[in-house]
Amino acid sequence: DTGVSQNPRHKITKRGQNVTFRCDPISEHNRLYWYRQTLGQGPEFLTYFQNEAQLEKSRLLSDRFSAERPKGSFSTLEIQRTEQGDSAMYLCASSLAAQGHPGGYTFGSGTRLTVV
Amino acid sequence: AQKVTQAQTEISVVEKEDVTLDCVYETRDTTYYLFWYKQPPSGELVFLIRRNSFDEQNEISGRYSWNFQKSTSSFNFTITASQVVDSAVYFCALSEAKGNTGKLIFGQGTTLQVKP
């Protein structure tokens, strides 16, 4: 297994356009998390899935954001009508169970979004 | 409320020096988990350690050691005989057991620069 894979690595888009990111977790991991990281800050939780069920969404996730995890495998994060404030690194993480037991959460390399 | 504070924004040391990265956390939960992650320039968060709130034993892994003190709500990380490859941003994170969400609350990170 090659770990958590995120695509694309970089995305530049014009304000107002829609973008979609993909995350492929480690195959046996049932938990999948999305985080957003802006420059100089720690990652902030956006949402998470257990299998295909989306169990919690942060207040940071406005109605322009939507995430899915069909069939409990890969996940997509879509941002509609992008704004410059959406520019950030979007990180995906997966784990076998809650609390990252025993080996912590495995993070992908992230998708860096730049809205111009 | 949950909060993680890493008061040191940037630390610069010369190779072979020891360095300690501070982490102070706030939580009302009695059961929680603490993590340290390393983020090299490539951007991927690399898991270093996970510690639960009931285990206050210090841990050593090679040149890395962690000092967990519930009395002061601190979980500090020491690198002994630092190397240039240790240069990265280091994040401390907290996950509460309540709700079983597993979401991580990150500190703002400490940028460590190890000079040759």
Side-chain angles (χ1 to χ4, degrees), chain B residues 63-112:
Chain B
R63 296 184 297 107
Y64 296 168
S65 62
W66 291 270
N67 183 350
F68 176 29
Q69 293 196 340
K70 284 180 77 169
S71 60
T72 56
S73 297
S74 65
F75 186 44
N76 296 337
F77 172 33
T78 297
I79 302 174
T80 303
S82 60
Q83 299 176 1
V84 173
V85 294
D86 295 328
S87 297
V89 183
Y90 290 86
F91 290 98
C92 179
L94 164 72
S95 177
E96 293 181 338
K98 182 180 177 182
N100 201 31
T101 68
K103 65 184 179 184
L104 294 169
I105 306 299
F106 285 86
Q108 290 189 304
T110 297
T111 300
L112 174 64

Side-chain angles (χ1 to χ4, degrees), chain A residues 23-97:
Chain A
C23 171
D24 287 89
I26 292 175
S27 56
E28 62 266 28
H29 285 186
N30 57 8
R31 289 258 177 142
L32 186 148
Y33 298 80
W34 283 99
Y35 289 83
R36 181 173 69 186
Q37 185 179 19
T38 54
L39 203 60
Q41 302 295 316
E44 295 175 294
F45 169 80
L46 292 178
T47 188
Y48 87 99
F49 294 82
Q50 178 155 315
N51 300 314
E52 67 276 9
Q54 187 174 20
L55 297 184
E56 184 170 331
K57 293 191 291 187
S58 163
R59 57 179 172 77
L60 294 175
L61 217 62
S62 75
D63 55 6
R64 296 185 297 105
F65 288 70
S66 62
E68 295 182 341
R69 193 185 182 195
K71 302 178 183 177
S73 55
F74 71 92
S75 176
T76 58
L77 177 67
E78 181 184 14
I79 308 174
Q80 295 182 328
R81 305 181 303 282
T82 52
E83 302 172 356
Q84 287 189 322
D86 297 331
S87 296
M89 175 79 86
Y90 289 84
L91 294 164
C92 176
S94 69
S95 71
L96 188 56

Side-chain angles (χ1 to χ4, degrees), chain A residues 98-116:
Chain A
Q99 311 307 339
H101 181 76
Y105 303 85
T106 303
F107 280 82
S109 297
T111 293
R112 183 169 295 284
L113 172 67
T114 302
V115 181
V116 297

